[in-house]
Amino acid sequence: MSTVVTSQDTRPARGPVGELFLGGGRARRLTWLAVGAVVLLSAVRVISGEQALTSSSTISAALLLAVPIGLAALGGLFSERAGVVNIGLDGMMTLGTWGAGFAGYQWGWGAALVGGLLFGALGGLLHAVTTVTFGVDHVVSGVAINILAAGVVRFLSELYYTDNPAGGGVTQSPAITGDQPDFSIPVLSSGPDLLGDLERQGWFLVSDVAGVLRGLTSGVGLLTVLAVLLVPASYLLLWRTAFGLRLRSCGENPAAADSLGVPVYRLKYIAVTTSGALAGMGGVFLVFIAGIYREGQTNGRGFIGLAALIFGNWRPGGLAAGAGLFGFADALQLRSRSAVVALFLLVAVLLAAVAVWQAVHRHAVRAVLAAVVAAGALTGFLTIDELAPGLVSFTPHLTTLLVLSLASQRLRPPKADGLVYRRGEH
């Protein structure tokens, strides 16, 4: 009679929190990255004395400003994962703002959401027709949609808003009727203001964590919650379903996907139309912030969303982090001109870490370049008290350029992204 010896794992079982911090894989890395970001921000806040860096008002504004950028980036994710470059995200957002303004002033915030989604989807459908059916270069089509959208919304505004009894004019709609519901997360934001009390103490890390939690959980709008939930939902749809696998195969190798029976053209149409709808939803959010449609309301946020998508390496979690970074920079420049100077210290620390990383991996040129820029950022922090208004307003765009330059070393776009596909030609 033989004896079978089995090995058993004698390590103690980990709970969900233990898995986040001690487990392996992406979840552990993202958790430690988030913890490190809060610790670094707290240290910069203490050194610089700029309380606005982690105040609840700044975090709340950052979330508000990050949502339209994140929605545009999500739209770009669907399109580019199917192999269609979408430069026209800003134009689709513009269409979404007009659709939201038109429907919102007549039937309320719910109709504004539907109107923005429909107008954005129409822009995406036009992009799909030109690129997928007629084989127009993706970049040319996207630029044309951006130009066309600006002209279309001006024409529609002149048609519907001139001499409108409800108000409005050539460059804006009447005010939207009704407000979207908002709420605060129980325990964290109800009852005694425990988080507010902790935030006002100014303690290292504890007050900063309290400020971040208070900003993320108080007075959150329904559309904000929906936008945040779309990030994990998009990941599950694209990476955990058969539909997502087929859609991504269209962006990697459409000829191979076609040979296996995947309806490549249909999936590209679905992806690009969905892309436009999500960008239009970002436009709806801008209208909700202002309570009205205004011409030029996107202010280039569609392009920043595209940059967030590239920074996030065409992944939902990465683009959410990119949108959050750009939203934070935008919120900080609105809150305090002096607090923006503290970003120089943050940039100096980050670039110093990049320089060390590049030096360890024997990339001498990159290491020296990062170290030089880090020294310049540190010099700016030590010598500048307050930036000029023009430079302060340019902070989000400067952050976009800097982040893209740092992230460009490990990018991996879909292999067939931007290629015109014709059945039987590959």
Side-chain angles (χ1 to χ4, degrees):
M1 181 176 177
S2 60
T3 303
V4 178
V5 180
T6 59
S7 61
Q8 296 182 352
D9 190 354
T10 59
R11 292 176 297 178
R14 296 170 180 159
V17 176
E19 280 297 326
L20 281 178
F21 287 93
L22 302 176
R26 188 180 301 273
R28 178 176 60 87
R29 293 195 298 270
L30 291 177
T31 302
W32 281 112
L33 183 62
V35 171
V38 174
V39 172
L40 179 58
L41 271 177
S42 180
V44 172
R45 193 265 304 171
V46 172
I47 295 172
S48 64
E50 293 292 344
Q51 303 301 320
L53 279 173
T54 56
S55 68
S56 57
S57 58
T58 299
I59 301 302
S60 179
L63 178 63
L64 203 66
L65 294 167
V67 166
I69 296 173
L71 287 171
L74 269 181
L77 175 70
F78 275 85
S79 179
E80 301 210 8
R81 279 294 176 180
V84 179
V85 172
N86 195 350
I87 302 294
L89 288 171
D90 198 70
M92 296 169 196
M93 284 188 76
T94 299
L95 292 172
T97 58
W98 196 92
F102 178 75
Y105 89 88
Q106 299 182 84
W107 303 296
W109 71 269
L113 177 58
V114 175
L117 287 171
L118 287 177
F119 270 73
L122 286 175
L125 180 61
L126 177 61
H127 188 48
V129 170
T130 57
T131 56
V132 179
T133 300
F134 293 104
V136 176
D137 181 88
H138 298 186
V139 175
V140 172
S141 174
V143 172
I145 286 176
N146 289 332
I147 298 172
L148 181 65
V152 166
V153 297
R154 168 55 77 96
F155 170 76
L156 292 175
S157 294
E158 291 179 351
L159 187 63
Y160 288 102
Y161 298 152
T162 302
D163 300 326
N164 191 315
V170 176
T171 60
Q172 67 180 42
S173 70
I176 292 179
T177 58
D179 297 321
Q180 63 164 326
D182 57 29
F183 60 92
S184 298
I185 296 179
V187 180
L188 290 179
S189 300
S190 60
D193 191 10
L194 299 178
L195 292 178
D197 293 338
L198 286 175
E199 180 187 354
R200 286 185 285 271
Q201 297 300 319
W203 296 332
F204 172 74
L205 195 58
V206 175
S207 296
D208 301 288
V209 172
V212 171
L213 290 177
R214 188 172 180 232
L216 294 177
T217 58
S218 301
V220 183
L222 179 62
L223 189 57
T224 303
V225 176
L226 179 59
V228 171
L229 291 178
L230 279 175
V231 175
S234 298
Y235 170 76
L236 293 175
L237 178 64
L238 292 177
W239 273 270
R240 290 293 183 267
T241 66
F243 170 80
L245 177 61
R246 294 188 184 103
L247 188 145
R248 287 186 292 116
S249 69
C250 297
E252 295 292 342
N253 194 330
D258 204 354
S259 68
L260 295 174
V262 175
V264 174
Y265 291 136
R266 185 195 311 164
L267 287 176
K268 283 179 179 286
Y269 262 87
I270 292 173
V272 181
T273 305
T274 302
S275 173
L278 288 170
M281 186 176 174
V284 174
F285 199 86
L286 294 175
V287 173
F288 281 176
I289 292 176
I292 194 172
Y293 157 76
R294 288 192 180 93
E295 190 174 82
Q297 204 161 21
T298 61
N299 196 26
R301 285 181 174 85
F303 297 107
I304 298 180
L306 187 62
L309 172 65
I310 298 171
F311 164 75
N313 210 8
W314 291 268
R315 304 279 297 195
L319 68 85
L325 175 63
F326 304 139
F328 176 75
D330 205 1
L332 197 61
Q333 63 96 5
L334 292 174
R335 287 280 300 156
S336 171
R337 284 163 56 183
S338 60
V340 175
V341 179
L343 284 179
F344 285 134
L345 178 59
L346 181 63
V347 169
V349 174
L350 290 175
L351 288 179
V354 170
V356 173
W357 175 269
Q358 298 289 4
V360 169
H361 288 77
R362 299 181 180 180
H363 298 150
V365 176
R366 298 176 188 171
V368 171
L369 181 61
V372 169
V373 179
L378 182 60
T379 302
F381 169 73
L382 295 174
T383 57
I384 299 174
D385 294 326
E386 189 174 286
L387 288 175
L391 292 176
V392 171
S393 61
F394 188 66
T395 301
H397 304 84
L398 184 61
T399 305
T400 303
L401 295 174
L402 178 62
V403 167
L404 281 179
S405 65
L406 293 177
S408 61
Q409 307 300 326
R410 302 183 64 182
L411 296 181
R412 196 277 185 193
K415 290 183 179 179
D417 194 18
L419 300 180
V420 176
Y421 173 69
R422 286 289 175 268
R423 182 176 295 158
E425 293 183 3
H426 298 267

